[in-house]
Amino acid sequence: MTRYFCHEHPDTLVLETRVVNARPGAVILERSPFHPGGGGQLADRGVLRWSGGEVRVVGIEGTGEGFWHLLAEPVELAGAVETAVDADFRSMMAQLHTDTHILNALVFRDFAGALVTGAQLNADGTARMDFDLPDADNDRLRALEPEINDVIRQDLPVRYAYVTEADALAERGLVRNRSVAPPPAADGTIRVVEIVGLDRQACGGTHLASTRGSGPLRILKIDNKGRHNRRVKIGLAGPSGG
Ligand SMILES: [Zn+2]
């Protein structure tokens, strides 16, 4: 994994750049503000504009060549373009993603270091997280909803750091899900997301600058998945979400 442009410049959603590789309906860009997805997060959506018009970016495909931006029409582009990330979609992903960290932190704290076994964010403003919780009382999990919203209202800042892989693995709870944690960058470091005062974990996704940026969160459903796993479905409520 390289450090994404959006990691360094999370507020830059519109960017002038160049096409460096193209096929009908797809381009690789010199620089891109799009998050490519991964770790349960969906890729950014948006548009690409050039002298001849505008086309929607409907997906990102990571390959050894780079990130192919998949276009809604089979146009073949070259030269200078402007890209614009869909701000509403990015905002929703960042809210949901930050809220999954809050949920994860509270579960980790209250349920003896329970680990995440999977996570998926959805385009409809909902997400699910699976936890390894063999004997958990689902009512205790449900009772986390007001506490999650309390953390949101406390407006805790979100910060980033890069640590070595060895340090990341040595810090208890930092890599809470090996399938979701980002691989080290080219320089061997891992990106750590800190919700100050609450939680630190390895993650390559997009997040809010502080927790108050999230709308209220609901715990929608808790399912038992096999003997060990609990699947917690959450969703944004109110004006910021679905
Ligand atoms: Zn994250």
Side-chain angles (χ1 to χ4, degrees):
M1 184 187 95
T2 50
R3 291 190 191 180
Y4 303 143
F5 180 90
C6 65
H7 287 168
E8 313 291 328
H9 309 280
D11 299 326
T12 302
L13 300 183
V14 178
L15 191 66
E16 313 254 341
T17 183
R18 296 176 46 249
V19 172
V20 295
N21 203 347
R23 61 178 199 240
V27 291
I28 294 177
L29 302 171
E30 187 173 68
R31 293 191 306 164
S32 170
F34 284 71
H35 191 282
Q41 180 174 330
L42 299 175
D44 276 327
R45 299 169 179 182
V47 295
L48 206 145
R49 302 184 184 107
W50 76 102
S51 55
E54 178 177 300
V55 64
R56 281 186 302 122
V57 177
V58 294
I60 310 272
E61 182 183 278
T63 71
E65 301 169 288
F67 290 103
W68 286 99
H69 293 58
L70 309 179
L71 310 175
E73 295 157 50
V75 287
E76 195 153 0
L77 301 178
V81 292
E82 183 185 84
T83 60
V85 169
D86 180 329
D88 289 340
F89 189 80
R90 164 70 71 82
S91 165
M92 187 186 70
M93 278 293 123
Q95 290 180 60
L96 266 181
H97 197 140
T98 306
D99 294 340
T100 64
H101 282 247
I102 298 171
L103 170 65
N104 187 349
L106 297 180
V107 169
F108 188 75
R109 183 199 67 191
D110 287 359
F111 295 87
L115 295 179
V116 178
T117 55
Q120 181 61 53
L121 279 56
N122 302 315
D124 64 358
T126 66
R128 66 164 171 79
M129 294 196 87
D130 294 340
F131 295 95
D132 183 12
L133 285 169
D135 298 309
D137 176 352
N138 287 352
D139 288 336
R140 269 185 73 207
L141 278 166
R142 261 181 220 106
L144 292 175
E145 183 184 291
E147 231 185 317
I148 294 169
N149 286 299
D150 186 53
V151 170
I152 289 171
R153 280 190 297 269
Q154 286 173 42
D155 202 22
L156 303 179
V158 178
R159 290 189 197 137
Y160 299 94
Y162 290 87
V163 304
T164 66
E165 190 175 15
D167 284 349
L169 292 173
E171 184 176 331
R172 181 177 175 273
L174 194 66
V175 179
R176 225 165 279 168
N177 176 356
R178 279 162 206 263
S179 65
V180 168
D187 63 2
T189 58
I190 284 181
R191 180 177 187 247
V192 171
V193 181
E194 178 176 13
I195 300 177
V196 175
L198 180 75
D199 185 54
R200 271 160 66 83
Q201 60 184 286
C203 184
T206 58
H207 311 84
L208 298 167
S210 63
T211 58
R212 184 117 201 196
S214 174
L217 195 80
R218 307 260 324 269
I219 291 183
L220 301 172
K221 201 167 177 220
I222 299 172
D223 286 322
N224 295 1
K225 290 279 165 189
R227 214 171 67 75
H228 276 269
N229 281 328
R230 293 291 185 283
R231 172 164 291 181
V232 181
K233 191 165 184 199
I234 57 175
L236 292 166
S240 308

